[in-house]
Amino acid sequence: MSEPLSQIQPFNYSRTFKAPRALVYEVHSKAEHIAKWFGPAGTKVGKFEMDFRVGGMNHYCIEIPGGIEMWGRQIYREIVPNEKIVHIQSFSDKDGGIGHHPMSPTWPLEMLAVTTFEDDGAGTKVTVSWLPYNADQEGINTFDVARGSMTGGFKGMFDTLQVYVENLA
């Protein structure tokens, strides 16, 4: 398999930020910004190396209270400034290789992630869409069951992003 599986609905999460689209896009596309808001609530970004171009990789470490490290990577597939960022999202090891979810071994190894930016009244609507990529049925089932957890994770992260971006606006 090399494409997302069509039998499952993507996970979508949206939020409108009271800031211009160019600014909201910038805080999604520059490492110095992303490192200040990225990750679930209560975590902090450790390592963050970003090569923001088609074919480039973002390799990062999120530090969870209690000393747990979660490594991840994003390989950029499409970048349309101020409109869309498409990447393959994976858990990772410290060297940037694909890894398993540290708390869910049946989680898909790869996710197709699409982030869009749209004008929405006095702000910018950001929509994140995730879909298993190159996944087996067990991975799809794990993804499908985890929608509530993903919603909570994105809510916490977007709460932090909202404060960050609105302070810049």
Side-chain angles (χ1 to χ4, degrees), residues 67-108:
I68 298 170
E69 293 182 341
M70 275 196 335
W71 291 86
R73 73 180 210 170
Q74 300 167 331
I75 305 293
Y76 297 102
R77 294 182 58 162
E78 181 181 359
I79 298 170
V80 181
N82 299 317
E83 292 182 21
K84 178 169 49 170
I85 300 169
V86 179
H87 65 270
I88 298 294
Q89 174 75 47
S90 304
F91 284 92
S92 177
D93 59 28
K94 290 180 181 183
D95 299 319
I98 293 177
H100 287 278
H101 189 306
M103 294 171 272
S104 180
T106 59
W107 184 259

Side-chain angles (χ1 to χ4, degrees), residues 1-168:
M1 287 177 267
S2 63
E3 291 300 321
L5 302 171
S6 60
Q7 70 265 29
I8 187 161
Q9 293 298 310
F11 166 80
N12 296 306
Y13 190 85
S14 296
R15 170 91 56 101
T16 297
F17 299 92
K18 295 177 183 173
R21 187 185 334 183
L23 176 60
V24 177
Y25 176 81
E26 180 180 326
V27 301
H28 277 81
S29 60
K30 293 190 176 176
E32 62 267 25
H33 290 298
I34 298 171
K36 294 179 181 168
W37 61 264
F38 189 74
T43 64
K44 77 175 200 172
V45 175
K47 176 182 176 177
F48 200 88
E49 294 178 358
M50 184 176 193
D51 180 8
F52 190 68
R53 62 179 175 82
V54 172
M57 180 169 74
N58 174 13
H59 184 228
Y60 59 88
C61 177
I62 295 175
E63 298 171 355
I64 300 170
I68 298 170
E69 293 182 341
M70 275 196 335
W71 291 86
R73 73 180 210 170
Q74 300 167 331
I75 305 293
Y76 297 102
R77 294 182 58 162
E78 181 181 359
I79 298 170
V80 181
N82 299 317
E83 292 182 21
K84 178 169 49 170
I85 300 169
V86 179
H87 65 270
I88 298 294
Q89 174 75 47
S90 304
F91 284 92
S92 177
D93 59 28
K94 290 180 181 183
D95 299 319
I98 293 177
H100 287 278
H101 189 306
M103 294 171 272
S104 180
T106 59
W107 184 259
L109 286 176
E110 297 178 299
M111 304 292 293
L112 178 64
V114 179
T115 304
T116 58
F117 306 85
E118 303 172 84
D119 292 330
D120 185 20
T124 303
K125 181 179 180 184
V126 176
T127 301
V128 175
S129 179
W130 275 17
L131 192 63
Y133 187 82
N134 290 333
D136 60 15
Q137 190 61 50
E138 185 177 39
I140 292 168
N141 293 343
T142 301
F143 169 83
D144 207 31
V145 169
R147 291 174 186 273
S149 294
M150 289 186 284
T151 297
F154 274 100
K155 181 192 180 309
M157 183 169 65
F158 275 23
D159 287 349
T160 303
L161 173 58
Q162 185 158 352
V163 170
Y164 181 74
V165 76
E166 290 177 3
N167 284 332
L168 294 176

